[in-house]
Each structure stands twice: as C-alpha cells, then as structure tokens.
Amino acid sequence: MVVAAPLHDIGKIHIPDAVLNKPGKLTEEEFGIMKTHTTAGEELLTHAKAELGESGYLNTAVEMAAYHHEWWNGKGYPYGISGEEIPLCARIMAVADVFVYNIFCSFLIKKHPQWSKSNRYAELEV
C-alpha cells in the first residue's frame, strides 16, 4: 500500500493546468473536470497493469486512484459507492489525503502565505 499510495492522484496529469493550479474555489464546471482525475487514474493504471502484468501494488494503486473520493454515505465520486463497498486501501488513502493536504497544507499556508500550491507540495516532499 505504501508503494501504491503516491499513484492515487496520477489521473491529475489529465487535468488542465488552469483547473489544477487555480487559486481559490473551482466553478461547478471546473470541479466536474477535476473529478475526472479518479477515472483517468483508474484507466491509466489499468492500462499499466495490462502492459506490465498483474502486480499487487498496481492492483492496490488502481483501487486507490478509482475510489479515494468515495464517501462512506455514498455521496462521493466517481461511482457513488458506500460503506464497505469502498476498498479498504481507498478508505485509508482518503483519510491520509485529507490529513496531509487539508491539515498540513493549511499550516503551510499560515506559515508561508506567499507560497504557491507547487511550493507547498514541494515542502511536503521533503
């Protein structure tokens, strides 16, 4: 799971930079575009599995990419599944994603308000 986790947002390579790096709140249309990163990542990693063969970490990476925005109550995306239908690895990834971005990045925003989103991500990688 640790090896697969960094791939959970790989579908964002398909999101236009103007949407991905937009400061502030996304419009409804932009949010719709952003939500496609889950299925784009699922497709990309499924293709990788087909090319490279079965792999435990790629199986996990596909599940993380596809389902890490699903909610326990079924109101998430992209499939609207709920509860234990959501793979455990995706549930764990969702919690980690919220913790790292929302909590740690909000700390960095307060500490360094002049930093861009890419600067905050770079700091996370250290």
PDB file of all heavy atoms in Angstrom, residues 98-115:
ATOM      1  N   VAL A  98      -6.787  13.689   3.178  1.00  0.00           N
ATOM      2  CA  VAL A  98      -7.388  14.809   3.903  1.00  0.00           C
ATOM      3  C   VAL A  98      -6.411  15.332   4.952  1.00  0.00           C
ATOM      4  O   VAL A  98      -6.211  16.534   5.083  1.00  0.00           O
ATOM      5  CB  VAL A  98      -8.725  14.397   4.564  1.00  0.00           C
ATOM      6  CG1 VAL A  98      -9.197  15.443   5.557  1.00  0.00           C
ATOM      7  CG2 VAL A  98      -9.775  14.166   3.495  1.00  0.00           C
ATOM      8  N   PHE A  99      -5.779  14.421   5.665  1.00  0.00           N
ATOM      9  CA  PHE A  99      -4.834  14.848   6.698  1.00  0.00           C
ATOM     10  C   PHE A  99      -3.689  15.638   6.084  1.00  0.00           C
ATOM     11  O   PHE A  99      -3.399  16.750   6.502  1.00  0.00           O
ATOM     12  CB  PHE A  99      -4.275  13.658   7.475  1.00  0.00           C
ATOM     13  CG  PHE A  99      -3.185  14.059   8.430  1.00  0.00           C
ATOM     14  CD1 PHE A  99      -3.494  14.695   9.619  1.00  0.00           C
ATOM     15  CD2 PHE A  99      -1.858  13.843   8.122  1.00  0.00           C
ATOM     16  CE1 PHE A  99      -2.499  15.098  10.493  1.00  0.00           C
ATOM     17  CE2 PHE A  99      -0.847  14.246   8.987  1.00  0.00           C
ATOM     18  CZ  PHE A  99      -1.178  14.870  10.174  1.00  0.00           C
ATOM     19  N   VAL A 100      -3.044  15.073   5.100  1.00  0.00           N
ATOM     20  CA  VAL A 100      -1.856  15.715   4.529  1.00  0.00           C
ATOM     21  C   VAL A 100      -2.208  17.040   3.883  1.00  0.00           C
ATOM     22  O   VAL A 100      -1.598  18.065   4.182  1.00  0.00           O
ATOM     23  CB  VAL A 100      -1.154  14.786   3.509  1.00  0.00           C
ATOM     24  CG1 VAL A 100      -0.080  15.531   2.746  1.00  0.00           C
ATOM     25  CG2 VAL A 100      -0.556  13.594   4.234  1.00  0.00           C
ATOM     26  N   TYR A 101      -3.202  17.043   3.012  1.00  0.00           N
ATOM     27  CA  TYR A 101      -3.482  18.293   2.309  1.00  0.00           C
ATOM     28  C   TYR A 101      -4.179  19.323   3.197  1.00  0.00           C
ATOM     29  O   TYR A 101      -3.701  20.426   3.353  1.00  0.00           O
ATOM     30  CB  TYR A 101      -4.299  18.063   1.035  1.00  0.00           C
ATOM     31  CG  TYR A 101      -4.424  19.354   0.275  1.00  0.00           C
ATOM     32  CD1 TYR A 101      -3.360  19.823  -0.468  1.00  0.00           C
ATOM     33  CD2 TYR A 101      -5.569  20.128   0.353  1.00  0.00           C
ATOM     34  CE1 TYR A 101      -3.432  21.035  -1.120  1.00  0.00           C
ATOM     35  CE2 TYR A 101      -5.655  21.343  -0.300  1.00  0.00           C
ATOM     36  CZ  TYR A 101      -4.583  21.788  -1.041  1.00  0.00           C
ATOM     37  OH  TYR A 101      -4.649  22.992  -1.675  1.00  0.00           O
ATOM     38  N   ASN A 102      -5.282  18.960   3.757  1.00  0.00           N
ATOM     39  CA  ASN A 102      -6.080  19.944   4.499  1.00  0.00           C
ATOM     40  C   ASN A 102      -5.425  20.424   5.778  1.00  0.00           C
ATOM     41  O   ASN A 102      -5.510  21.594   6.120  1.00  0.00           O
ATOM     42  CB  ASN A 102      -7.461  19.391   4.809  1.00  0.00           C
ATOM     43  CG  ASN A 102      -8.305  19.260   3.571  1.00  0.00           C
ATOM     44  OD1 ASN A 102      -8.020  19.850   2.545  1.00  0.00           O
ATOM     45  ND2 ASN A 102      -9.344  18.478   3.653  1.00  0.00           N
ATOM     46  N   ILE A 103      -4.780  19.537   6.498  1.00  0.00           N
ATOM     47  CA  ILE A 103      -4.197  19.943   7.772  1.00  0.00           C
ATOM     48  C   ILE A 103      -2.788  20.495   7.577  1.00  0.00           C
ATOM     49  O   ILE A 103      -2.507  21.626   7.958  1.00  0.00           O
ATOM     50  CB  ILE A 103      -4.217  18.782   8.780  1.00  0.00           C
ATOM     51  CG1 ILE A 103      -5.674  18.443   9.102  1.00  0.00           C
ATOM     52  CG2 ILE A 103      -3.449  19.134  10.044  1.00  0.00           C
ATOM     53  CD1 ILE A 103      -5.858  17.228   9.966  1.00  0.00           C
ATOM     54  N   PHE A 104      -1.913  19.720   6.960  1.00  0.00           N
ATOM     55  CA  PHE A 104      -0.540  20.162   6.830  1.00  0.00           C
ATOM     56  C   PHE A 104      -0.415  21.358   5.899  1.00  0.00           C
ATOM     57  O   PHE A 104       0.295  22.317   6.200  1.00  0.00           O
ATOM     58  CB  PHE A 104       0.361  19.017   6.365  1.00  0.00           C
ATOM     59  CG  PHE A 104       1.817  19.335   6.486  1.00  0.00           C
ATOM     60  CD1 PHE A 104       2.415  19.417   7.740  1.00  0.00           C
ATOM     61  CD2 PHE A 104       2.602  19.568   5.376  1.00  0.00           C
ATOM     62  CE1 PHE A 104       3.765  19.725   7.868  1.00  0.00           C
ATOM     63  CE2 PHE A 104       3.936  19.872   5.488  1.00  0.00           C
ATOM     64  CZ  PHE A 104       4.524  19.944   6.744  1.00  0.00           C
ATOM     65  N   CYS A 105      -1.120  21.326   4.761  1.00  0.00           N
ATOM     66  CA  CYS A 105      -1.031  22.461   3.837  1.00  0.00           C
ATOM     67  C   CYS A 105      -1.650  23.716   4.429  1.00  0.00           C
ATOM     68  O   CYS A 105      -1.163  24.814   4.175  1.00  0.00           O
ATOM     69  CB  CYS A 105      -1.656  22.130   2.486  1.00  0.00           C
ATOM     70  SG  CYS A 105      -0.599  21.087   1.482  1.00  0.00           S
ATOM     71  N   SER A 106      -2.689  23.593   5.221  1.00  0.00           N
ATOM     72  CA  SER A 106      -3.252  24.789   5.845  1.00  0.00           C
ATOM     73  C   SER A 106      -2.251  25.384   6.832  1.00  0.00           C
ATOM     74  O   SER A 106      -2.140  26.598   6.967  1.00  0.00           O
ATOM     75  CB  SER A 106      -4.586  24.496   6.530  1.00  0.00           C
ATOM     76  OG  SER A 106      -4.415  23.628   7.615  1.00  0.00           O
ATOM     77  N   PHE A 107      -1.456  24.533   7.488  1.00  0.00           N
ATOM     78  CA  PHE A 107      -0.375  25.016   8.340  1.00  0.00           C
ATOM     79  C   PHE A 107       0.646  25.784   7.503  1.00  0.00           C
ATOM     80  O   PHE A 107       1.088  26.872   7.880  1.00  0.00           O
ATOM     81  CB  PHE A 107       0.300  23.842   9.062  1.00  0.00           C
ATOM     82  CG  PHE A 107       1.628  24.189   9.667  1.00  0.00           C
ATOM     83  CD1 PHE A 107       1.703  24.913  10.848  1.00  0.00           C
ATOM     84  CD2 PHE A 107       2.801  23.802   9.047  1.00  0.00           C
ATOM     85  CE1 PHE A 107       2.930  25.241  11.401  1.00  0.00           C
ATOM     86  CE2 PHE A 107       4.028  24.126   9.594  1.00  0.00           C
ATOM     87  CZ  PHE A 107       4.096  24.846  10.768  1.00  0.00           C
ATOM     88  N   LEU A 108       1.012  25.224   6.343  1.00  0.00           N
ATOM     89  CA  LEU A 108       1.985  25.894   5.486  1.00  0.00           C
ATOM     90  C   LEU A 108       1.442  27.204   4.924  1.00  0.00           C
ATOM     91  O   LEU A 108       2.190  28.169   4.759  1.00  0.00           O
ATOM     92  CB  LEU A 108       2.420  24.975   4.337  1.00  0.00           C
ATOM     93  CG  LEU A 108       3.279  23.786   4.736  1.00  0.00           C
ATOM     94  CD1 LEU A 108       3.562  22.905   3.526  1.00  0.00           C
ATOM     95  CD2 LEU A 108       4.582  24.233   5.372  1.00  0.00           C
ATOM     96  N   ILE A 109       0.139  27.263   4.635  1.00  0.00           N
ATOM     97  CA  ILE A 109      -0.461  28.498   4.132  1.00  0.00           C
ATOM     98  C   ILE A 109      -0.343  29.593   5.188  1.00  0.00           C
ATOM     99  O   ILE A 109      -0.012  30.734   4.884  1.00  0.00           O
ATOM    100  CB  ILE A 109      -1.931  28.269   3.725  1.00  0.00           C
ATOM    101  CG1 ILE A 109      -1.995  27.400   2.474  1.00  0.00           C
ATOM    102  CG2 ILE A 109      -2.653  29.593   3.502  1.00  0.00           C
ATOM    103  CD1 ILE A 109      -3.381  26.862   2.159  1.00  0.00           C
ATOM    104  N   LYS A 110      -0.600  29.224   6.437  1.00  0.00           N
ATOM    105  CA  LYS A 110      -0.485  30.212   7.515  1.00  0.00           C
ATOM    106  C   LYS A 110       0.963  30.616   7.735  1.00  0.00           C
ATOM    107  O   LYS A 110       1.272  31.776   7.981  1.00  0.00           O
ATOM    108  CB  LYS A 110      -1.080  29.657   8.810  1.00  0.00           C
ATOM    109  CG  LYS A 110      -2.580  29.547   8.760  1.00  0.00           C
ATOM    110  CD  LYS A 110      -3.138  28.886  10.004  1.00  0.00           C
ATOM    111  CE  LYS A 110      -4.635  28.680   9.819  1.00  0.00           C
ATOM    112  NZ  LYS A 110      -5.182  27.770  10.796  1.00  0.00           N
ATOM    113  N   LYS A 111       1.865  29.650   7.639  1.00  0.00           N
ATOM    114  CA  LYS A 111       3.279  29.923   7.871  1.00  0.00           C
ATOM    115  C   LYS A 111       3.904  30.685   6.702  1.00  0.00           C
ATOM    116  O   LYS A 111       4.746  31.556   6.905  1.00  0.00           O
ATOM    117  CB  LYS A 111       4.015  28.601   8.093  1.00  0.00           C
ATOM    118  CG  LYS A 111       5.474  28.763   8.474  1.00  0.00           C
ATOM    119  CD  LYS A 111       6.105  27.422   8.792  1.00  0.00           C
ATOM    120  CE  LYS A 111       7.579  27.607   9.118  1.00  0.00           C
ATOM    121  NZ  LYS A 111       8.254  26.323   9.289  1.00  0.00           N
ATOM    122  N   HIS A 112       3.503  30.341   5.476  1.00  0.00           N
ATOM    123  CA  HIS A 112       4.075  30.938   4.266  1.00  0.00           C
ATOM    124  C   HIS A 112       2.952  31.325   3.290  1.00  0.00           C
ATOM    125  O   HIS A 112       2.773  30.683   2.260  1.00  0.00           O
ATOM    126  CB  HIS A 112       5.017  29.949   3.572  1.00  0.00           C
ATOM    127  CG  HIS A 112       6.131  29.461   4.432  1.00  0.00           C
ATOM    128  ND1 HIS A 112       7.228  30.227   4.742  1.00  0.00           N
ATOM    129  CD2 HIS A 112       6.322  28.272   5.067  1.00  0.00           C
ATOM    130  CE1 HIS A 112       8.045  29.536   5.516  1.00  0.00           C
ATOM    131  NE2 HIS A 112       7.509  28.347   5.732  1.00  0.00           N
ATOM    132  N   PRO A 113       2.186  32.363   3.590  1.00  0.00           N
ATOM    133  CA  PRO A 113       1.030  32.700   2.743  1.00  0.00           C
ATOM    134  C   PRO A 113       1.411  33.071   1.310  1.00  0.00           C
ATOM    135  O   PRO A 113       0.585  32.967   0.409  1.00  0.00           O
ATOM    136  CB  PRO A 113       0.385  33.881   3.471  1.00  0.00           C
ATOM    137  CG  PRO A 113       1.427  34.413   4.379  1.00  0.00           C
ATOM    138  CD  PRO A 113       2.346  33.276   4.707  1.00  0.00           C
ATOM    139  N   GLN A 114       2.646  33.443   1.094  1.00  0.00           N
ATOM    140  CA  GLN A 114       3.075  33.837  -0.244  1.00  0.00           C
ATOM    141  C   GLN A 114       3.388  32.634  -1.146  1.00  0.00           C
ATOM    142  O   GLN A 114       3.524  32.785  -2.350  1.00  0.00           O
ATOM    143  CB  GLN A 114       4.316  34.753  -0.156  1.00  0.00           C
ATOM    144  CG  GLN A 114       5.607  34.062   0.231  1.00  0.00           C
ATOM    145  CD  GLN A 114       5.788  33.766   1.715  1.00  0.00           C
ATOM    146  OE1 GLN A 114       4.872  33.935   2.513  1.00  0.00           O
ATOM    147  NE2 GLN A 114       6.966  33.313   2.104  1.00  0.00           N
ATOM    148  N   TRP A 115       3.475  31.451  -0.569  1.00  0.00           N
ATOM    149  CA  TRP A 115       3.829  30.269  -1.350  1.00  0.00           C
ATOM    150  C   TRP A 115       2.704  29.852  -2.281  1.00  0.00           C
ATOM    151  O   TRP A 115       1.528  29.895  -1.931  1.00  0.00           O
ATOM    152  CB  TRP A 115       4.142  29.103  -0.445  1.00  0.00           C
ATOM    153  CG  TRP A 115       5.505  29.146   0.191  1.00  0.00           C
ATOM    154  CD1 TRP A 115       6.402  30.173   0.171  1.00  0.00           C
ATOM    155  CD2 TRP A 115       6.096  28.117   0.967  1.00  0.00           C
ATOM    156  NE1 TRP A 115       7.506  29.841   0.890  1.00  0.00           N
ATOM    157  CE2 TRP A 115       7.350  28.578   1.392  1.00  0.00           C
ATOM    158  CE3 TRP A 115       5.683  26.858   1.357  1.00  0.00           C
ATOM    159  CZ2 TRP A 115       8.213  27.821   2.159  1.00  0.00           C
ATOM    160  CZ3 TRP A 115       6.529  26.100   2.136  1.00  0.00           C
ATOM    161  CH2 TRP A 115       7.783  26.569   2.524  1.00  0.00           C
TER     162      TRP A 115
END
